[in-house]
Amino acid sequence: GGGGGGSAAAAAAAARKLAPKDASMYRTVVKLYEAKQYKKALRTADQLLQRVPAHGETLAMRGLVLHTRGQRAEGWLSVKRGVRADITSQVVWHVMGLLHKAERNYTEAIKCYAHALRINTKSEQVLRDLQHLQVLARDAEGLQEATRTALTLKGSVRGNWLAYAAASHIAGD
């Protein structure tokens, strides 16, 4: 939480808030995607977008589902529409990063994840995805910084200490 921010950011955040029924539908889209039930996820996303056509996070999830099903061009279009609809959403940037990663465009994926983390500095999922990409891209300094961030968020997790130690060793510290 916390106040501040411009009126455009406030408007985007207000648009992101869905009515309870719509929010439940959105969560269903995410769960269906995670369960690899892409056809149902797409159908549910399309139903939600009939009700709320400019919901950026739903547009992004729809694009992720399409891309995963092999409909890459249509998937990219939907994700880009999602980013335009809600540029201040961590979710849309994370999803765009996932598409870049799927196409092995690691530099662009890292940029998207970094943008998502600027919006929500405490997202463990984005941090994990970022660390994975930094290993693939052989970005030792970036990996060290990301593992340091994870360590400050959850210092009680032994894996975060191991990751930070390994990243520091790779970075030469």
Side-chain angles (χ1 to χ4, degrees), residues 36-113:
K36 296 181 170 46
Q37 295 183 13
Y38 304 127
K39 197 173 183 179
K40 286 181 183 175
L42 188 58
R43 197 175 326 121
T44 308
D46 286 338
Q47 286 172 358
L48 180 54
L49 288 169
Q50 285 173 358
R51 296 165 54 91
V52 193
H55 188 250
E57 295 181 354
T58 303
L59 286 163
M61 284 303 299
R62 178 182 185 272
L64 180 60
V65 171
L66 287 166
H67 192 275
T68 303
R69 292 181 70 191
Q71 296 166 267
R72 289 178 41 209
E74 196 181 342
W76 272 110
L77 276 174
S78 190
V79 169
K80 287 176 180 174
R81 281 178 55 214
V83 171
R84 277 196 301 274
D86 191 355
I87 202 161
T88 61
S89 162
Q90 169 225 313
V91 171
V92 300
W93 287 103
H94 188 192
V95 168
M96 184 175 263
L98 290 170
L99 262 63
H100 279 299
K101 179 184 173 192
E103 297 188 356
R104 292 183 169 81
N105 189 349
Y106 300 140
T107 306
E108 285 303 309
I110 287 172
K111 287 179 193 171
C112 290
Y113 290 169

Side-chain angles (χ1 to χ4, degrees), residues 1-47:
S7 58
R16 192 177 312 140
K17 276 269 187 246
L18 292 170
K21 180 182 177 186
D22 296 336
S24 173
M25 266 179 106
Y26 173 76
R27 284 191 301 275
T28 300
V29 171
V30 174
K31 285 179 186 145
L32 288 168
Y33 169 79
E34 289 171 348
K36 296 181 170 46
Q37 295 183 13
Y38 304 127
K39 197 173 183 179
K40 286 181 183 175
L42 188 58
R43 197 175 326 121
T44 308
D46 286 338
Q47 286 172 358

